C-alpha cells in the first residue's frame, strides 16, 4: 500500500541537521528515512542459518518485574531476530519461561558469578538490551555494571532502557563515549539523566536541543527521548518521530520499543553507513523502532480501544512492520 504525502508530513514534523549551517531536510528526504530503515532489513532467504538474523540478549527481570523483559524479548523475535535470551534473577526465570516457550531464559543475574555467566554468552550475541524490569537492587546493579563493561570490551552493541538508565544516571562514565550504545529514556528517565550529566535544569522549550546536548555530553551516545513525539540524536543530527500512535499509555510499550531496537541496531550496524546515506546507522535503527512501536500502538488501539494492552501491541508487530517497511 502506498503511503501518501500527508502520512509523511505527520510522521516527520521535523528532521533536521543539528547545526544551523546545515539546511533542514525536505519531506522528500524525510520519506527517504523510512527507505533507509528498509535498506537495513536483511532479506529473508533459504540460504541463512538460525541465528544469522539476530541473537539478542535482554538483561532484566527480577522479583517485581517479569513482564518487561518478556515484552522486550518477544518483540525482538517478532521483529525478526532468530533467538532471544533473557538474563534475569533466579526467581524471575520460571515465571518468564512460563510466558513463552520461545525465550531462552538464564537465571543468573543475582548469582555471585553473574558477570562471568553472561560474559560467556557475549561472543554469541549481536546486541544486548539492558534494563527492562531490572529493578534497582544494589547487588543487581553492580552485576549489570560488570556486564556493561564486558560488553564494551567486546564491542557488543547495547540498548539501555528503564532501570539500566537509573544505573547510567548514577554512573554516566559507564557509557561515556561508547559509540555502540543507545539510551531510550522516558520522561522521568530523561530528566534524571539530564540532571546527572548536564547538571542543568531541563529546557522544556527546546526538546531537540535538550536531547542533542545530552547526547553530546555523553560523548555522542545515541539518545532516544520517548514521548508525545520521540526525539532521537547522536549529538550531531536530530530526528523526530511523530508516527501516529495512540492515546493509550499502558505499561510495557517502552519495553516493546527497546526489544525491537536491539534487533534493528544489529541490522543497522551490519548494513553499515553506505546503506544509511550518511546517517548514523544507530539513528536509523532508533527511528525504525520508534515508528514501529507507535504503529503497533495505533493498530492495537483501533481494535481494542481503551482496553489495549502491550500484549495487543505485540500481536501487531508483524502487520505493523509489513505496513511500514515492507509495502
Ligand atoms: N509489566 C512489567 O513488568 C513492567 C515493568 N516496568 C518496569 O518498571 C520499572 C520502573 O519503570 P518506570 O517507567 O515506572 O520508571 P520510573 O520508576 O522512573 O517511573 C517513571 C514515572 O514517570 C511517570 N511519567 C511517565 N511519563 C511521564 C510524563 N510524560 N510526564 C510526567 N511523568 C511521567 C510515570 O507515571 C512513572 O511514575 C522498570 O524496571 C521498568 O522496566 C515497565 O517497563 C512497565 C511494565
Ligand atoms: N504522549 C504520547 N503520545 C503518543 N505516543 C507516546 C506518548 N508518550 C509515549 N509514547 C510512545 O509510547 C512508547 C513508549 O514510551 P513511554 O514513554 O511510555 O515509555 P516507558 O515509560 O519507558 O514505557 P514502559 O511502560 O514500557 O516502561 C514510545 O513509542 C513513545 O513514542
Ligand atoms: Mg520504560
Amino acid at each position: 500500500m502506498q503511503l501518501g504525502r500527508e502520512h509523511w508530513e505527520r510522521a516527520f514534523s521535523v528532521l533536521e541537521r543539528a547545526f544551523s549551517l546545515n539546511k533542514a531536510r525536505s519531506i522528500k528526504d524525510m520519506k527517504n528515512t523510512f527507505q533507509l530503515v528498509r535498506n537495513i532489513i536483511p532479506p529473508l532467504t533459504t540460504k541463512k542459518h538460525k541465528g544469522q538474523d539476530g541473537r539478542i540478549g535482554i538483561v532484566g527481570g527480577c522479583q517485581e518485574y517479569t513482564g518487561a523483559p518478556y515484552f522486550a524479548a518477544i518483540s525482538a523475535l517478532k521483529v525478526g531476530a532468530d533467538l532471544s535470551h533473557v538474563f534475569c534473577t533466579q526467581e524471575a526465570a520460571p515465571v518468564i519461561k512460563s510466558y513463552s516457550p520461545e525465550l531462552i531464559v538464564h537465571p543468573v543475574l543475582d548469582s555471585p558469578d553473574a558477570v562471568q555467566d553472561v560474559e560467556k554468552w557475549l561472543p554469541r550475541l549481536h546486541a544486548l538490551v539492558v534494563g527492562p524490569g531490572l529493578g534497582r537492587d544494589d547487588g543487581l546493579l553492580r552485576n549489570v555494571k560488570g556486564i556493561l563493561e564486558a560488553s564494551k570490551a567486546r564491542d557488543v552493541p547495547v540498548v539501555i532502557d528503564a532501570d539500566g538508565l537509573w544505573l547510567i544516571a548514577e554512573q554516566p562514565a559507564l557509557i561515556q563515549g561508547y559509540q555502540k550504545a543507545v539510551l531510550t529514556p522516558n520522561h522521568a528517565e530523561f530528566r534524571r539523566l539530564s540532571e546527572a550529566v548536564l547538571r542543568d535544569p531541563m529546557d522544556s522549550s527546546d526538546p531537540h536541543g535538550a536531547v542533542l546536548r545530552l547526547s553530546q555530553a555523553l560523548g555522542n551516545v545515541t539518545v532516544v527521548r520517548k514521548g508525545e513525539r520521540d526525539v532521537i540524536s547522536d549529538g550531531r543530527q536530530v530526528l523526530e518521530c511523530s508516527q501516529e500512535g495512540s492515546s493509550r499509555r499502558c505499561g510495557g510499550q517502552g519495553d516493546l520499543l527497546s526489544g525491537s531496537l536491539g534487533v534493528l541496531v544489529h541490522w543497522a550496524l551490519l548494513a553499515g553507513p553506505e546503506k544509511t546515506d550518511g546517517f548514523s546507522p544507530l539513528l536509523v535503527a532508533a527511528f525504525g523502532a520508534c515508528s514501529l512501536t507507535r504503529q503497533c500502538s495505533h493498530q492495537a488501539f483501533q481494535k481494542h480501544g481503551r482496553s489495549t494492552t502491550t500484549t495487543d501491541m505485540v500481536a501487531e508487530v508483524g502487520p505493523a512492520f509489513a505496513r511500514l517497511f515492507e509495502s
Side-chain angles (χ1 to χ4, degrees):
M1 189 189 323
Q2 271 303 106
L3 298 173
R5 181 185 172 91
E6 207 184 304
H7 169 90
W8 302 112
E9 281 175 340
R10 244 198 344 258
F12 299 88
S13 54
V14 184
L15 165 65
E16 62 186 12
R17 297 268 172 187
F19 304 105
S20 55
L21 281 176
N22 296 299
K23 48 184 188 303
R25 296 196 140 198
S26 67
I27 288 164
K28 184 162 157 285
D29 292 327
M30 297 168 188
K31 191 171 167 179
N32 288 343
T33 308
F34 263 98
Q35 185 55 47
L36 299 183
V37 180
R38 293 189 180 108
N39 289 352
I40 66 167
I41 297 169
L44 289 168
T45 79
T46 55
K47 306 284 176 231
K48 288 187 194 162
H49 62 77
K50 179 182 68 180
Q52 249 180 306
D53 276 346
R55 296 184 293 267
I56 308 301
I58 312 293
V59 178
C62 63
Q63 189 181 31
E64 294 93 335
Y65 307 121
T66 54
Y70 162 76
F71 288 135
I74 199 76
S75 300
L77 284 177
K78 294 281 181 188
V79 165
D82 292 334
L83 294 164
S84 203
H85 295 251
V86 178
F87 300 93
C88 60
T89 64
Q90 178 108 41
E91 64 184 330
V95 182
I96 298 170
K97 284 179 207 247
S98 76
Y99 296 151
S100 167
E102 285 152 320
L103 307 180
I104 301 162
V105 184
H106 307 265
V108 297
L109 215 49
D110 49 352
S111 128
D113 302 322
V115 178
Q116 297 91 302
D117 286 345
V118 178
E119 196 172 11
K120 68 176 182 237
W121 281 94
L122 288 181
R124 282 178 269 180
L125 296 177
H126 294 118
L128 217 50
V129 180
V130 178
L134 175 62
R136 294 171 192 170
D137 174 83
D138 285 340
L140 284 187
L141 293 180
R142 255 194 310 280
N143 290 342
V144 172
K145 178 180 175 190
I147 293 166
L148 274 176
E149 283 164 343
S151 304
K152 280 194 299 181
R154 291 177 178 273
D155 217 26
V156 175
V158 289
V159 174
I160 307 186
D161 187 30
D163 299 313
L165 296 170
W166 176 269
L167 176 63
I168 299 301
E170 301 268 298
Q171 302 180 51
L174 260 178
I175 209 68
Q176 182 74 31
Y178 187 48
Q179 298 304 300
K180 290 193 177 172
V182 186
L183 312 186
T184 56
N186 63 19
H187 177 84
E189 291 154 354
F190 186 82
R191 199 187 52 229
R192 269 197 295 272
L193 279 170
S194 294
E195 283 169 3
V197 174
L198 297 169
R199 307 194 184 284
D200 203 9
M202 249 167 67
D203 180 0
S204 51
S205 67
D206 180 15
H208 285 201
V211 179
L212 182 75
R213 280 197 304 281
L214 179 61
S215 172
Q216 286 172 344
L218 286 167
N220 297 98
V221 164
T222 301
V223 177
V224 180
R225 180 187 184 178
K226 299 171 293 190
E228 191 174 346
R229 287 144 190 259
D230 298 329
V231 181
I232 308 162
S233 181
D234 62 351
R236 300 177 190 95
Q237 294 173 309
V238 182
L239 266 174
E240 184 176 287
C241 178
S242 47
Q243 179 75 25
E244 188 175 5
S246 82
S247 300
R248 193 67 176 101
R249 300 270 65 79
C250 56
Q253 299 185 40
D255 307 315
L256 192 159
L257 193 157
S258 58
S260 309
L261 183 52
V263 187
L264 287 165
V265 159
H266 164 53
W267 290 351
L269 290 170
L270 203 62
E274 60 281 8
K275 290 281 176 80
T276 56
D277 191 26
F279 275 104
S280 129
L282 297 189
L283 223 52
V284 173
F287 181 85
C290 289
S291 42
L292 178 67
T293 306
R294 297 169 74 102
Q295 180 68 20
C296 288
S297 174
H298 181 66
Q299 292 182 191
F301 189 79
Q302 282 185 321
K303 292 183 186 169
H304 305 282
R306 192 180 285 276
S307 81
T308 301
T309 60
T310 300
T311 300
D312 302 319
M313 287 173 56
V314 169
E316 297 298 329
V317 169
F321 190 96
R323 180 167 155 72
L324 291 180
F325 308 128
E326 294 180 315
S327 59

